[in-house]
Amino acid sequence: MAFLQRISMLAPRQMVALIFGVGAAVALLVAAWSWGPGPEYRVLYSNLSDRDGGAVVAALGQMNVPYKFSEGGGAIMVPASQLYDARLKLASQGLPKGSAGGFELIENPRLGLTQFQEQVHYQRALEGELARTIQTLAAVQSARVHLAIPKSSAFLRDRQKPSASVLLTLYPGKSLERAQVQGIVHLLATSVPELPVKSVSVLDQSGALLSAHAHADATGTVDPGKLAYAQQVEARYIQRIIDILEPITGPNNIRAQVTVEIDFSHTEQTAETYKPNQDPKDATMRSQQTSESRDAAGAAGPGGVPGPASNQPPARRLPRNRRRRARRSPDRRGAIRPSTTRSTRRSGSRASRSGR
């Protein structure tokens, strides 16, 4: 109270000076607090992809943890007192997920690398690029690709085909359609040389084999596409029966059931028929050989190399009509022309109907 009485007894000029002095002191305190050193910030994560960086920033905002970016935006920084706590909380949420490197791994080649190391870097880069491409699907949260590429061999019997496996982490409540799984399988088969479609396995985070229906014909399991086709045929038959009988029995007075048995077997037959060329006109000449020999009997003068062989008596002269004799034996060989016939047969369906 005494302090207030003293202030009330001040002159107006003194009162104004006191007010200005108090305001200046408060301003100095505020300036000192704002200009003073704040909390120390440390790097939480650096070199994150845009996808992981956005997820980390969103999680920090939900945890009410202040953060800031370093110069250039290459790192996320948090207060040093909350650094380890923030890392543990983010790790419990599976952040950051990380992403495999792509072809940037081989952009700056280093000297001294062996051929095996270069092949390993190329395989890692290819796996990373394929994983990035698969992650562009809306239902895929993350993906990992493993390629098993055998070493090339100069011998055909030692050559092996490559294989691939894909592990997908899907978003909660999301699933991949059959066409999308087939697209992933064919993406890998066309990206890796000589990779068969049957050698690609696609799994989800629960360990379920998503590519099982792609090999349905080989494993003997039921193909969902064939099952859907059978259901469509049954529905078509049921509707046709109802449309035929409903004008007679009246609406809603008939119930029809159809069971369709469809044989999806695919038969391809190739026959080659070899028929000899009996008719010379239709024959295809493969080779022709003619042997000709002539016998000319007459008085031949001496000649040749002196010796016993040239001292033989002259041959007996034959009559004029028997003086020359010629023999010709033609040998004609025709080619056997094969006739190739290819036929393809697709089995149909058989339906058993019951109505009431």
Side-chain angles (χ1 to χ4, degrees):
M1 295 293 294
F3 179 73
L4 295 177
Q5 290 179 357
R6 289 180 180 179
I7 293 177
S8 60
M9 295 175 60
L10 294 175
R13 291 183 178 179
Q14 295 177 345
M15 184 69 67
V16 172
L18 179 61
I19 293 174
F20 276 106
V22 172
V26 172
L28 289 175
L29 290 176
V30 172
W33 179 80
S34 60
W35 291 345
E40 182 184 1
Y41 277 79
R42 289 189 177 182
V43 176
L44 179 64
Y45 294 112
S46 61
N47 298 327
L48 294 178
S49 62
D50 295 340
R51 192 171 185 175
D52 287 342
V56 169
V57 169
L60 291 176
Q62 293 178 357
M63 294 186 297
N64 296 323
V65 176
Y67 63 89
K68 67 179 182 179
F69 298 98
S70 63
E71 295 182 1
I76 300 176
M77 306 179 68
V78 297
S81 59
Q82 301 180 358
L83 176 63
Y84 299 104
D85 187 22
R87 283 183 179 177
L88 291 176
K89 290 182 179 179
L90 292 174
S92 64
Q93 301 179 13
L95 295 175
K97 300 182 181 300
S99 59
F103 284 121
E104 64 271 8
L105 296 176
I106 56 178
E107 286 182 354
N108 299 320
R110 293 178 296 176
L111 297 177
L113 291 179
T114 62
Q115 185 178 3
F116 175 76
Q117 291 175 336
E118 292 179 353
Q119 180 65 26
V120 170
H121 288 175
Y122 171 75
Q123 183 171 335
R124 288 180 54 197
L126 184 59
E127 291 174 351
E129 291 294 334
L130 291 173
R132 289 177 179 177
T133 304
I134 296 174
Q135 288 177 2
T136 56
L137 297 177
V140 178
Q141 186 176 5
S142 62
R144 294 197 64 182
V145 178
H146 301 279
L147 299 177
I149 302 178
K151 186 178 180 180
S152 59
S153 175
F155 301 97
L156 292 176
R157 62 182 180 182
D158 296 337
R159 291 183 182 178
Q160 298 179 359
K161 297 292 184 180
S163 59
S165 57
V166 183
L167 179 61
L168 302 177
T169 302
L170 305 179
Y171 285 104
K174 297 290 185 177
S175 62
L176 291 177
E177 298 180 357
R178 178 169 175 262
Q180 291 176 318
V181 176
Q182 287 184 346
I184 294 175
V185 171
H186 285 276
L187 172 66
L188 268 73
T190 54
S191 299
V192 181
E194 298 183 359
L195 176 60
V197 175
K198 296 182 180 180
S199 299
V200 180
S201 301
V202 181
L203 293 84
D204 60 2
Q205 67 268 28
S206 61
L209 185 61
L210 303 180
S211 59
H213 59 270
H215 318 314
D217 295 336
T219 58
T221 57
V222 179
D223 190 353
K226 296 178 180 179
L227 183 60
Y229 174 74
Q231 293 175 354
Q232 293 178 1
V233 174
E234 290 176 353
R236 193 181 307 118
Y237 276 117
I238 291 174
Q239 188 62 37
R240 291 178 62 182
I241 293 172
I242 293 177
D243 293 341
I244 293 174
L245 299 180
E246 197 172 40
I248 302 175
T249 60
N252 301 327
N253 290 330
I254 184 173
R255 187 179 64 181
Q257 295 180 355
V258 177
T259 302
V260 178
E261 296 179 1
I262 302 178
D263 185 7
F264 291 99
S265 61
H266 179 80
T267 304
E268 183 174 354
Q269 182 179 3
T270 303
E272 291 188 0
T273 304
Y274 293 89
K275 182 173 60 175
N277 296 316
Q278 298 179 357
D279 191 357
K281 297 181 180 180
D282 299 334
T284 301
M285 190 60 60
R286 186 182 64 179
S287 64
Q288 180 178 0
Q289 182 179 1
T290 303
S291 299
E292 181 177 354
S293 62
R294 296 176 179 271
D295 293 338
V305 181
S310 61
N311 294 331
Q312 299 294 330
R316 184 171 58 91
R317 183 180 292 278
L318 297 178
R320 186 177 297 275
N321 55 354
R322 297 180 58 190
R323 186 172 289 182
R324 292 185 179 180
R325 183 174 54 190
R327 294 192 305 270
R328 291 185 180 181
S329 56
D331 183 11
R332 297 181 180 180
R333 297 180 182 180
I336 300 176
R337 294 182 301 179
S339 176
T340 304
T341 304
R342 291 184 176 88
S343 59
T344 303
R345 183 176 64 87
R346 295 180 181 272
S347 302
S349 61
R350 182 178 58 186
S352 59
R353 299 180 292 273
S354 63
R356 186 175 61 181

